[in-house]
């Protein structure tokens, strides 16, 4: 039997509970935990990435990029075969490259495939990218 007829956003409850606990338990003073006082509005201004880190990060980033692309193509081919459409691996590579290149100017996290989420959405009947 459902007591509440609408879904409760658990993520929001966790944030509220954590904020209240942090305030009343005085976590900033007792444990020297940094507290975010204000969140900036809007998008960050674009800026050049830290190119001086490129020699240190190139090897690891290349490996991560190859793995991310492989997973994206594998997932894409599975869904393409299941739903009878074609997939162009060159287009996927260009799309991942462009989105991560643009995201690099805004300090975004790298974009890749969320395989588990895609499978869950597809099995639940989702057919668009908006649902993912």
């Amino acid at each position: 039997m459902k007591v509440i007829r609408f879904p409760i956003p658990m993520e929001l409850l966790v944030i509220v509970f954590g904020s209240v606990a942090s305030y009343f338990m005085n976590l900033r003073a007792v444990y020297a935990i940094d507290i975010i006082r204000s969140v900036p509005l809007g998008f960050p201004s674009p800026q050049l990435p830290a190119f001086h880190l490129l020699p240190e990060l190139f090897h690891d980033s290349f490996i991560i990029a190859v793995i991310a692309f492989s997973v994206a193509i594998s997932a894409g081919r599975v869904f393409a075969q299941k739903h009878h459409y074609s997939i162009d691996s060159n287009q996927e590579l260009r799309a991942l490259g462009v989105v991560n290149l643009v995201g690099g100017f805004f300090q975004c996290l790298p974009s890749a495939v969320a395989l588990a989420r895609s499978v869950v959405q597809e099995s639940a009947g989702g057919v668009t990218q908006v649902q993912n």
Side-chain angles (χ1 to χ4, degrees):
M1 181 170 105
K2 284 189 171 184
V3 177
I4 301 175
R5 296 184 187 265
F6 56 90
I8 298 174
M10 294 306 292
E11 295 84 359
L12 181 61
L13 290 179
V14 169
I15 290 172
V16 169
F17 176 74
S19 299
V20 170
S22 172
Y23 179 78
F24 285 111
M25 294 170 62
N26 201 14
L27 296 180
R28 183 172 188 222
V30 175
Y31 296 105
I33 294 176
D34 291 332
I35 306 295
I36 298 175
R37 296 274 179 207
S38 65
V39 177
L41 298 175
F43 290 109
S45 300
Q47 61 187 29
L48 289 174
F51 289 114
H52 66 278
L53 297 175
L54 193 59
E56 290 179 47
L57 300 176
F58 180 77
H59 183 261
D60 293 336
S61 351
F62 181 76
I63 293 170
I64 292 169
V66 168
I67 291 171
F69 176 67
S70 301
V71 171
I73 290 301
S74 299
R77 286 185 179 161
V78 166
F79 291 126
Q81 184 178 21
K82 187 173 183 179
H83 297 287
H84 309 294
Y85 60 86
S86 62
I87 186 168
D88 181 9
S89 57
N90 289 331
Q91 183 180 8
E92 289 293 322
L93 181 61
R94 285 191 298 268
L96 281 172
V98 168
V99 76
N100 285 316
L101 182 69
V102 171
F105 289 98
F106 293 93
Q107 294 77 48
C108 293
L109 294 173
S111 176
V113 174
L115 184 57
R117 290 180 62 186
S118 298
V119 171
V120 168
Q121 287 295 336
E122 192 268 338
S123 66
V127 292
T128 67
Q129 294 175 353
V130 176
Q131 294 177 339
N132 204 2

